Amino acid sequence: MKHIKTLTNKTLKNTMKNGGCGECQTSCQSACKTSCTVGNQSCENNK
Amino acid sequence: MIHQYKNNGYNIVMDVCSGAVHVVDDLVYDIIALFEEKSEDEIVTALSKYKKEDVLEGISEVKALKEEGLLFTEDEYEEYVTDFKQRKTVVKALCLHIAHDCNLACKYCFAGEGEYNGDRSLMSIEVGKKAIDFLVANSGNRVNLEVDFFGGEPLMNFQVVKEIVAYGRSLEEKHNKKFRFTLTTNGMLLNDEVMEFANKEMSNVVLSIDGRKEVHDRMRPTPNGKGSYDIIIEKFKKMAELRNQTNYYVRGTFTHNNLDFSKDVLHLADLGFKQISVEPVVSLPEEPYALRKEDLPQLFEEYDTLAKEMIKRKKEGKGFNFFHFMIDLNQGPCVAKRLSGCGSGVEYLAVTPWGDLYPCHQFVGTEEFLMGNVFDGIKNTDIQSEFKLCNVYAKEACRNCFARFYCSGGCAANSYKFHGSILEPYEIGCELQKKRIECAIMLKAAMEE
Ligand code: SF4
Ligand code: SF4
C-alpha cells in the first residue's frame, strides 16, 4: 500500500478461540500496584 | 471503532476492536475521519485540497483494509467476556502483606506513612503457610502461581519470607505448580544476604525509588525526617547489575510536587537502570501532593518528552524500558484477558499479616471488603460475585473508550476510592492511561523505521 503502513494486523477476534487459559501474569502483579495495564503483557502460549 | 491521533510526526490509526494499528499519510488520515459518515463523492469534495485520483486511491486502500477486518471493525466480545469472567473460579495470585510495619514514612503510602493506624504487625509463618495452602487448593489446574511479598516493608520480616518461599517450593512438584515470587522493597534492609536470596528465588524484584534525590527524599523520608536516597541508591544499582538488568523494576511515584517527572525517569536511566517504572500517585484531592485536572496538560507534555528522549537514546544504543510505555502489539494477551479486568477479588487476592483476605492490596483494611481468611477460605461470596461482574462492559465509561483493550477497565480500587463504586473509573487516571497508550504506540511506529 502506498498510503498505509500496517504496524500490526494481529486480530483479536482470533484469540477468542484459544484464549482465556489464564496462565498469564495477573495484571497488577508486576510492578505497578496502582493501575491495570494488560497491553504490555505477553501471552504464555506465545513464549 | 477507530481512534486516530497525531504524535511526534506520526499519523496513527488504531482499529480498536481488532487490535490492528496503522501508520498513515495525511491524506488517508483525513479520509478515515470522514469514511463512515460520508459517501465517496462527498469525501472527494471535502478533500479538494488533495488531487482527486489520490483521494480515490486512498479510499481504495481503506476499503481493502476494511474488508480484511483491519479497519472499522465492531466490538463483538461482550457476551464472550462477561461469560468468561463469570466462570472464573480459580485463584492464581496472592499479595502477602508480610509486614504491616515500615522503616520509612513515605507520605503517599497506602498504609498511612507505614503506621497502619497504630496496628503494626508481622505475618507469622503459620499464616504464610496457610496462605500458600489456600492458593494451591484454590488454583485448580493452573500451573503458574504468583506470590508477591508486599508490605509495609517485607524485609522487616525476612525470615518468614524465606520460610514461605521454601514451603512453596516444597509443594511445587507434588501439586504440579510453579511459583513466581516477587519482592517489593524500599531497600533500607537490602544487604548481600537478601540480594543473594532474592536473585535465586524471586522472578521479579521491585525497588522503590522516586527519581532525583530531592524528589525522593521529600516523599520518602525516614521516620526521623531524614532522606533515604543516599542509603539505598548504591544497593539498588548493585542489585540491578546482579540481576543482569532484567527481571526487576526501579519503581517510583510522581506527585503534584514533581510534575516534571520525565526528569526523574531520565535520572534513573542515567544511573544505568534499564527497567524503570514511574507512576502517577493516586490520592484524594485534599492531599497537597495529589494530581489535579489542571496538571494534565503538563503531564501529557512530560510523557511526550519522555517518549522522544527514549527514541533518541534507543537509537544511540542507550535504550531502557519504561513500564507504562511497554506494549506488545503482536504477542499481547488474548481478548478475554484484555477485557476482563485486573482480576482483583477473583483470581488475585491480598492477605493481611493475620490471614484475612481482601480483593487486592489496595482494599486491605477497608472492612466492607473483607472476604474471609486463609484458614476458613472465602466466606463473603457476595464480594466475589461483585468483582466477577467487573469487566470492561460493566463500566459505562469504558464501553466506548479506545483504551479498553490495553487498560482493561482501570483499577477497581481507584474507582472505589474516588467514586465509592468499583465500576466508575477515576478520570485523571484514565486521561493519563490514554496518553500513555498513544505514546507507547507512537514509540512502536518510530522503532519500526
Ligand atoms: S482509560 Fe478509563 S475509561 Fe478507558 S478503558 Fe481504561 S478505565 Fe475505562
Ligand atoms: S484493583 Fe487496582 S490496585 Fe487492585 S489489583 Fe486491580 S488494578 Fe491493581
Side-chain angles (χ1 to χ4, degrees), chain B residues 253-269:
Chain B
T253 302
F254 67 82
T255 71
H256 183 72
N257 296 334
N258 61 317
L259 294 175
D260 59 349
F261 71 91
S262 71
K263 296 201 177 73
D264 294 289
V265 177
L266 297 174
H267 172 81
L268 294 169

Side-chain angles (χ1 to χ4, degrees), chain A residues 26-29 32-37, chain B residues 110 341-345 348 359-363 387 410-414:
Chain A
T26 308
S27 309
C28 199
Q29 197 75 351
C32 192
K33 295 282 183 201
T34 57
S35 75
C36 188
T37 18
Chain B
F110 300 140
C342 64
S344 59
Y348 172 60
C360 89
H361 55 285
Q362 283 209 56
F363 286 103
F387 279 83
C411 163
N414 294 351

Side-chain angles (χ1 to χ4, degrees), chain B residues 325-340:
Chain B
F325 284 172
M326 285 159 68
I327 208 162
D328 190 337
L329 290 181
N330 293 310
Q331 312 250 286
C334 61
V335 74
K337 162 91 174 179
R338 283 173 186 263
L339 297 175
S340 57

Side-chain angles (χ1 to χ4, degrees), chain A:
Chain A
M1 292 207 177
K2 227 169 102 189
H3 305 274
I4 304 176
K5 180 173 150 200
T6 297
L7 278 188
T8 174
N9 58 4
K10 148 158 187 147
T11 153
L12 291 174
K13 243 176 246 173
N14 296 339
T15 69
M16 287 211 288
K17 284 183 225 109
N18 303 317
C21 78
E23 288 292 352
C24 52
Q25 188 181 42
T26 308
S27 309
C28 199
Q29 197 75 351
S30 44
C32 192
K33 295 282 183 201
T34 57
S35 75
C36 188
T37 18
V38 292
N40 58 14
Q41 299 193 354
S42 50
C43 170
E44 294 284 330
N45 294 319
N46 292 334
K47 276 189 179 164

